[in-house]
Amino acid sequence: MVSFYVPRGADYCEVEVRCGLTDPFGGRSICDTCASDPRTMADIQRHESSIAADNAWGASAGYGEY
Ligand SMILES: [Zn+2]
């Protein structure tokens, strides 16, 4: 599970998303284990580009260009 803090009124609310699913910001949630595994990240990026939802997510997540 990956934890996100999303604005909720004047406060923040913690939301847990299962690794690999869409996060509250429209990106893909990636747990620390996957983020530190180059093969997993390569699989994720290949899948992302195959569904052509890539550029905004890649830029916002800081993974650079494809
Ligand atoms: Zn994971």
Side-chain angles (χ1 to χ4, degrees):
M1 302 295 284
V2 187
S3 293
F4 294 91
Y5 291 90
V6 297
R8 185 66 54 86
D11 206 346
Y12 282 83
C13 178
E14 184 177 9
V15 177
E16 286 199 331
V17 179
R18 193 142 57 89
C19 176
L21 299 183
T22 304
D23 70 24
F25 308 105
R28 175 176 296 259
S29 57
I30 299 169
C31 69
D32 290 342
T33 303
C34 291
S36 63
D37 184 339
R39 282 180 56 188
T40 300
M41 292 306 295
D43 284 346
I44 290 170
Q45 293 197 357
R46 195 156 51 233
H47 182 245
E48 287 289 332
S49 56
S50 73
I51 60 175
D54 45 12
N55 286 333
W57 177 81
S60 66
Y63 291 114
E65 53 280 303
Y66 287 87

Coordinates of all heavy atoms in Angstrom, one line a residue:
M1 N 0.8 -1.2 0.0 CA 0.0 0.0 0.0 C 0.9 1.2 0.0 O 1.9 1.3 0.6 CB -0.9 0.0 1.2 CG -1.8 -1.2 1.4 SD -3.0 -1.3 0.0 CE -4.2 -0.1 0.6
V2 N 0.4 2.3 -0.7 CA 1.1 3.5 -0.7 C 0.2 4.6 -0.1 O -1.0 4.7 -0.5 CB 1.4 3.9 -2.2 CG1 2.3 5.2 -2.2 CG2 2.1 2.8 -2.9
S3 N 0.8 5.4 0.8 CA 0.0 6.4 1.4 C 0.1 7.8 0.7 O 1.2 8.2 0.3 CB 0.4 6.6 2.9 OG 0.1 5.5 3.6
F4 N -1.0 8.4 0.5 CA -1.0 9.8 -0.1 C -1.7 10.7 0.9 O -2.6 10.3 1.6 CB -1.7 9.8 -1.4 CG -1.0 9.0 -2.5 CD1 -1.3 7.7 -2.7 CD2 -0.1 9.6 -3.3 CE1 -0.6 6.9 -3.6 CE2 0.6 8.9 -4.2 CZ 0.3 7.5 -4.4
Y5 N -1.3 12.0 0.9 CA -2.0 13.0 1.7 C -2.7 13.9 0.7 O -2.0 14.6 -0.1 CB -1.0 13.7 2.6 CG -0.5 12.8 3.7 CD1 0.6 12.0 3.5 CD2 -1.2 12.7 4.9 CE1 1.1 11.2 4.5 CE2 -0.8 11.8 5.9 CZ 0.4 11.1 5.7 OH 0.8 10.3 6.7
V6 N -4.0 13.9 0.7 CA -4.7 14.8 -0.2 C -5.4 15.9 0.6 O -5.9 15.6 1.7 CB -5.8 13.9 -1.0 CG1 -5.1 12.9 -1.9 CG2 -6.7 13.2 -0.1
P7 N -5.5 17.1 0.0 CA -6.2 18.2 0.7 C -7.6 17.8 0.9 O -8.3 17.3 0.0 CB -6.0 19.4 -0.3 CG -4.9 19.0 -1.2 CD -4.9 17.5 -1.3
R8 N -8.1 18.1 2.1 CA -9.5 17.9 2.5 C -9.9 19.0 3.3 O -9.7 19.1 4.5 CB -9.6 16.5 3.2 CG -11.0 16.1 3.5 CD -11.8 15.8 2.3 NE -11.1 14.8 1.4 CZ -11.2 13.5 1.5 NH1 -12.0 13.0 2.4 NH2 -10.6 12.7 0.7
G9 N -10.5 20.0 2.6 CA -10.9 21.3 3.3 C -9.6 22.0 3.7 O -8.7 22.2 2.9
A10 N -9.5 22.4 5.0 CA -8.3 23.1 5.5 C -7.3 22.1 6.0 O -6.3 22.5 6.5 CB -8.8 24.0 6.6
D11 N -7.6 20.8 5.9 CA -6.7 19.8 6.4 C -6.3 18.8 5.3 O -6.5 19.0 4.2 CB -7.5 19.0 7.5 CG -6.6 18.4 8.6 OD1 -5.4 18.4 8.3 OD2 -7.2 18.0 9.6
Y12 N -5.6 17.8 5.7 CA -5.2 16.8 4.8 C -5.7 15.5 5.3 O -5.9 15.2 6.5 CB -3.6 16.7 4.7 CG -3.1 17.8 3.9 CD1 -2.8 19.1 4.4 CD2 -2.8 17.6 2.5 CE1 -2.3 20.1 3.6 CE2 -2.2 18.5 1.7 CZ -2.0 19.8 2.2 OH -1.5 20.8 1.5
C13 N -6.0 14.6 4.3 CA -6.5 13.3 4.6 C -5.6 12.3 4.0 O -5.2 12.4 2.9 CB -7.9 13.2 4.0 SG -8.7 11.6 4.2
E14 N -5.3 11.3 4.8 CA -4.4 10.2 4.3 C -5.3 9.2 3.6 O -6.3 8.7 4.1 CB -3.7 9.5 5.5 CG -2.7 8.5 5.0 CD -1.9 7.8 6.1 OE1 -2.3 8.1 7.3 OE2 -1.0 7.1 5.8
V15 N -4.8 8.9 2.4 CA -5.5 7.9 1.5 C -4.5 6.8 1.2 O -3.4 7.1 0.7 CB -6.0 8.5 0.2 CG1 -6.7 7.5 -0.7 CG2 -7.0 9.6 0.6
E16 N -4.9 5.6 1.4 CA -4.0 4.5 1.0 C -4.5 3.8 -0.3 O -5.6 3.6 -0.5 CB -4.0 3.4 2.1 CG -3.2 3.9 3.3 CD -2.8 2.7 4.2 OE1 -3.5 1.7 4.2 OE2 -1.7 2.8 4.9
V17 N -3.5 3.7 -1.2 CA -3.8 3.1 -2.5 C -2.9 1.9 -2.7 O -1.7 1.9 -2.4 CB -3.5 4.1 -3.6 CG1 -3.8 3.5 -5.0 CG2 -4.3 5.4 -3.4
R18 N -3.5 0.9 -3.3 CA -2.7 -0.3 -3.5 C -1.6 -0.1 -4.6 O -1.9 0.6 -5.6 CB -3.6 -1.5 -3.9 CG -2.9 -2.8 -3.9 CD -3.8 -3.9 -3.4 NE -5.0 -4.1 -4.2 CZ -5.1 -4.8 -5.3 NH1 -4.1 -5.5 -5.7 NH2 -6.2 -4.9 -6.0
C19 N -0.4 -0.6 -4.4 CA 0.6 -0.3 -5.4 C 0.2 -0.7 -6.8 O -0.3 -1.8 -7.0 CB 1.8 -1.2 -4.9 SG 3.2 -1.1 -6.1
G20 N 0.5 0.2 -7.7 CA 0.1 -0.1 -9.1 C -1.2 0.5 -9.6 O -1.4 0.6 -10.8
L21 N -2.0 0.9 -8.6 CA -3.3 1.4 -9.0 C -3.2 3.0 -9.1 O -2.2 3.6 -8.7 CB -4.4 1.1 -8.0 CG -4.6 -0.4 -7.8 CD1 -5.8 -0.7 -6.8 CD2 -5.0 -1.1 -9.2
T22 N -4.3 3.6 -9.6 CA -4.3 5.0 -9.8 C -4.3 5.7 -8.5 O -5.1 5.4 -7.6 CB -5.4 5.5 -10.7 OG1 -5.4 4.7 -11.9 CG2 -5.4 6.9 -11.0
D23 N -3.4 6.7 -8.3 CA -3.4 7.5 -7.0 C -4.4 8.6 -7.1 O -5.0 8.9 -8.1 CB -2.0 7.9 -6.7 CG -1.5 9.0 -7.7 OD1 -2.3 9.7 -8.2 OD2 -0.3 9.2 -7.8
P24 N -4.6 9.3 -6.0 CA -5.6 10.4 -5.9 C -5.3 11.5 -6.8 O -6.2 12.4 -7.1 CB -5.6 10.8 -4.4 CG -5.0 9.7 -3.7 CD -4.0 9.1 -4.6
F25 N -4.1 11.6 -7.4 CA -3.7 12.7 -8.3 C -3.8 12.3 -9.7 O -3.3 13.0 -10.6 CB -2.4 13.3 -7.9 CG -2.3 13.6 -6.4 CD1 -1.6 12.8 -5.5 CD2 -2.9 14.7 -5.9 CE1 -1.5 13.1 -4.2 CE2 -2.9 15.0 -4.6 CZ -2.2 14.2 -3.7
G26 N -4.2 11.1 -10.0 CA -4.3 10.7 -11.4 C -3.1 10.0 -11.9 O -3.0 9.6 -13.1
G27 N -2.1 9.8 -11.1 CA -0.9 9.1 -11.5 C -1.0 7.6 -11.1 O -2.1 7.1 -10.8
R28 N 0.2 7.0 -11.0 CA 0.2 5.6 -10.6 C 0.9 5.5 -9.3 O 2.0 6.0 -9.1 CB 1.0 4.8 -11.7 CG 1.2 3.4 -11.3 CD 1.9 2.6 -12.5 NE 1.0 2.6 -13.6 CZ 0.3 1.5 -14.0 NH1 0.4 0.4 -13.3 NH2 -0.5 1.6 -15.0
S29 N 0.3 4.9 -8.3 CA 1.0 4.7 -7.1 C 2.0 3.6 -7.1 O 1.8 2.6 -7.7 CB -0.1 4.3 -6.0 OG -0.8 3.2 -6.4
I30 N 3.2 3.9 -6.6 CA 4.3 3.0 -6.6 C 4.9 2.9 -5.2 O 5.3 3.9 -4.7 CB 5.4 3.4 -7.6 CG1 4.8 3.5 -9.0 CG2 6.5 2.4 -7.6 CD1 5.7 4.1 -10.1
C31 N 4.9 1.7 -4.7 CA 5.5 1.6 -3.3 C 7.0 1.7 -3.3 O 7.6 1.6 -4.4 CB 5.0 0.3 -2.7 SG 5.8 -1.2 -3.4
D32 N 7.6 1.9 -2.2 CA 9.0 2.0 -2.1 C 9.8 0.8 -2.7 O 10.8 1.0 -3.3 CB 9.4 2.3 -0.6 CG 9.0 3.6 -0.1 OD1 8.7 4.5 -1.0 OD2 9.0 3.8 1.1
T33 N 9.2 -0.4 -2.4 CA 9.8 -1.6 -2.9 C 9.9 -1.5 -4.4 O 11.0 -1.8 -5.0 CB 9.0 -2.8 -2.5 OG1 8.9 -2.8 -1.1 CG2 9.7 -4.1 -2.9
C34 N 8.8 -1.2 -5.1 CA 8.8 -1.2 -6.6 C 9.7 0.0 -7.1 O 10.4 -0.2 -8.1 CB 7.4 -1.0 -7.1 SG 6.4 -2.5 -6.8
A35 N 9.7 1.1 -6.4 CA 10.4 2.3 -6.8 C 11.9 2.0 -6.8 O 12.7 2.7 -7.6 CB 10.1 3.5 -6.0
S36 N 12.3 1.1 -6.0 CA 13.8 0.8 -5.9 C 14.2 -0.4 -6.7 O 15.3 -0.8 -6.7 CB 14.1 0.6 -4.4 OG 13.5 -0.5 -3.9
D37 N 13.2 -0.9 -7.5 CA 13.5 -2.1 -8.3 C 13.5 -1.6 -9.8 O 12.4 -1.4 -10.4 CB 12.5 -3.1 -8.1 CG 12.7 -4.4 -8.8 OD1 13.5 -4.4 -9.8 OD2 12.2 -5.5 -8.4
P38 N 14.6 -1.6 -10.4 CA 14.7 -1.1 -11.8 C 13.8 -1.9 -12.8 O 13.3 -1.4 -13.7 CB 16.2 -1.2 -12.2 CG 16.9 -1.2 -10.9 CD 16.0 -1.8 -9.9
R39 N 13.8 -3.2 -12.6 CA 13.0 -4.0 -13.5 C 11.5 -3.7 -13.3 O 10.8 -3.7 -14.3 CB 13.2 -5.5 -13.2 CG 14.6 -6.0 -13.8 CD 14.8 -7.5 -13.5 NE 13.7 -8.3 -14.0 CZ 13.6 -9.6 -13.8 NH1 14.5 -10.2 -13.0 NH2 12.6 -10.3 -14.3
T40 N 11.1 -3.6 -12.1 CA 9.7 -3.2 -11.9 C 9.3 -1.9 -12.5 O 8.3 -1.7 -13.2 CB 9.3 -3.2 -10.4 OG1 9.6 -4.5 -9.8 CG2 7.9 -2.8 -10.1
M41 N 10.2 -0.9 -12.3 CA 10.0 0.4 -12.9 C 10.0 0.4 -14.4 O 9.2 1.0 -15.0 CB 11.1 1.4 -12.4 CG 11.0 1.7 -10.9 SD 9.4 2.3 -10.4 CE 9.3 3.8 -11.3
A42 N 10.8 -0.5 -15.0 CA 10.8 -0.6 -16.4 C 9.5 -1.2 -16.9 O 8.9 -0.7 -17.9 CB 12.0 -1.5 -16.9
D43 N 9.0 -2.2 -16.2 CA 7.7 -2.8 -16.6 C 6.6 -1.7 -16.5 O 5.8 -1.6 -17.4 CB 7.4 -3.9 -15.6 CG 8.2 -5.2 -16.0 OD1 8.8 -5.2 -17.1 OD2 8.2 -6.1 -15.1
I44 N 6.6 -0.9 -15.4 CA 5.6 0.1 -15.2 C 5.7 1.1 -16.3 O 4.7 1.5 -16.9 CB 5.8 0.8 -13.9 CG1 5.4 -0.2 -12.8 CG2 4.9 2.0 -13.8 CD1 5.8 0.2 -11.4
Q45 N 6.9 1.6 -16.7 CA 7.0 2.6 -17.7 C 6.6 2.1 -19.1 O 6.0 2.8 -19.9 CB 8.5 3.1 -17.8 CG 8.8 3.9 -16.5 CD 10.0 4.8 -16.7 OE1 10.7 4.8 -17.7 NE2 10.3 5.5 -15.6
R46 N 6.9 0.8 -19.3 CA 6.5 0.2 -20.6 C 5.0 0.2 -20.7 O 4.4 0.5 -21.7 CB 7.1 -1.2 -20.7 CG 7.0 -1.8 -22.1 CD 8.1 -2.8 -22.3 NE 8.0 -3.9 -21.3 CZ 9.1 -4.2 -20.5 NH1 10.2 -3.7 -20.7 NH2 8.9 -5.1 -19.6
H47 N 4.4 -0.2 -19.6 CA 2.9 -0.2 -19.5 C 2.3 1.2 -19.7 O 1.4 1.4 -20.4 CB 2.4 -0.9 -18.2 CG 0.9 -1.0 -18.1 ND1 0.2 -0.3 -17.2 CD2 0.1 -1.7 -18.9 CE1 -1.1 -0.6 -17.4 NE2 -1.2 -1.5 -18.4
E48 N 2.9 2.1 -19.0 CA 2.4 3.5 -19.1 C 2.4 4.0 -20.5 O 1.5 4.6 -21.0 CB 3.3 4.4 -18.2 CG 3.0 4.2 -16.7 CD 1.6 4.8 -16.3 OE1 1.1 5.7 -17.0 OE2 1.1 4.2 -15.3
S49 N 3.6 3.8 -21.2 CA 3.7 4.3 -22.5 C 2.7 3.5 -23.5 O 2.2 4.1 -24.4 CB 5.1 4.2 -23.0 OG 5.6 2.9 -23.0
S50 N 2.4 2.3 -23.2 CA 1.6 1.5 -24.0 C 0.1 2.0 -24.0 O -0.6 1.8 -24.9 CB 1.6 0.0 -23.7 OG 1.0 -0.2 -22.5
I51 N -0.2 2.6 -22.9 CA -1.6 3.2 -22.8 C -1.6 4.7 -23.0 O -2.6 5.3 -22.9 CB -2.2 2.9 -21.4 CG1 -1.4 3.5 -20.3 CG2 -2.4 1.4 -21.2 CD1 -2.1 3.3 -18.9
A52 N -0.4 5.2 -23.4 CA -0.4 6.6 -23.9 C -0.9 7.6 -22.9 O -1.4 8.6 -23.3 CB -1.1 6.7 -25.2
A53 N -0.7 7.3 -21.6 CA -1.1 8.3 -20.6 C 0.1 8.8 -19.9 O 0.2 9.0 -18.7 CB -2.0 7.6 -19.6
D54 N 1.2 8.9 -20.7 CA 2.5 8.9 -20.2 C 3.1 10.3 -19.8 O 3.6 10.5 -18.7 CB 3.5 8.3 -21.1 CG 3.3 8.7 -22.5 OD1 2.6 9.7 -22.7 OD2 3.8 8.1 -23.5
N55 N 3.0 11.3 -20.6 CA 3.8 12.5 -20.5 C 3.6 13.2 -19.2 O 4.5 13.5 -18.5 CB 3.7 13.4 -21.7 CG 4.4 12.8 -22.9 OD1 5.3 12.1 -22.7 ND2 3.9 13.1 -24.1
A56 N 2.3 13.5 -18.9 CA 2.0 14.3 -17.7 C 2.5 13.6 -16.5 O 3.0 14.1 -15.5 CB 0.6 14.6 -17.7
W57 N 2.2 12.3 -16.5 CA 2.5 11.5 -15.3 C 4.1 11.4 -15.1 O 4.6 11.6 -14.1 CB 2.0 10.1 -15.4 CG 2.4 9.2 -14.3 CD1 1.8 9.1 -13.1 CD2 3.5 8.3 -14.3 NE1 2.5 8.2 -12.3 CE2 3.5 7.7 -13.0 CE3 4.5 7.9 -15.2 CZ2 4.5 6.7 -12.6 CZ3 5.4 6.9 -14.9 CH2 5.4 6.4 -13.6
G58 N 4.8 11.2 -16.2 CA 6.2 11.1 -16.1 C 6.8 12.4 -15.7 O 7.7 12.3 -14.8
A59 N 6.4 13.5 -16.2 CA 6.9 14.8 -15.8 C 6.6 15.0 -14.3 O 7.5 15.4 -13.6 CB 6.4 15.9 -16.6
S60 N 5.4 14.8 -13.9 CA 5.0 15.2 -12.5 C 5.7 14.2 -11.5 O 6.0 14.6 -10.4 CB 3.5 15.1 -12.3 OG 3.1 13.8 -12.5
A61 N 6.0 13.0 -11.9 CA 6.6 12.1 -11.0 C 8.1 12.2 -11.0 O 8.8 11.6 -10.2 CB 6.2 10.6 -11.4
G62 N 8.7 12.9 -12.0 CA 10.1 13.2 -12.0 C 10.9 12.1 -12.6 O 12.1 11.9 -12.3
Y63 N 10.3 11.2 -13.4 CA 11.1 10.1 -14.0 C 11.7 10.6 -15.4 O 12.3 9.7 -16.0 CB 10.2 8.9 -14.2 CG 9.8 8.3 -12.9 CD1 8.4 8.3 -12.5 CD2 10.7 7.7 -12.1 CE1 8.1 7.8 -11.3 CE2 10.4 7.2 -10.9 CZ 9.0 7.2 -10.5 OH 8.7 6.7 -9.3
G64 N 11.5 11.8 -15.8 CA 12.2 12.3 -17.0 C 11.5 11.9 -18.2 O 10.3 11.5 -18.3
E65 N 12.3 11.9 -19.3 CA 11.7 11.7 -20.6 C 11.6 10.2 -21.0 O 12.3 9.4 -20.4 CB 12.5 12.5 -21.7 CG 14.0 12.2 -21.7 CD 14.7 13.0 -20.6 OE1 14.6 14.2 -20.6 OE2 15.3 12.4 -19.7
Y66 N 10.8 9.9 -22.0 CA 10.6 8.6 -22.4 C 11.5 8.3 -23.7 O 11.7 9.2 -24.4 CB 9.2 8.3 -22.7 CG 8.4 8.2 -21.4 CD1 7.8 9.3 -20.9 CD2 8.2 6.9 -20.8 CE1 7.1 9.2 -19.7 CE2 7.5 6.9 -19.6 CZ 6.9 8.0 -19.1 OH 6.2 7.9 -17.9
Ligands
ZN1 ZN 5.0 -2.1 -5.2

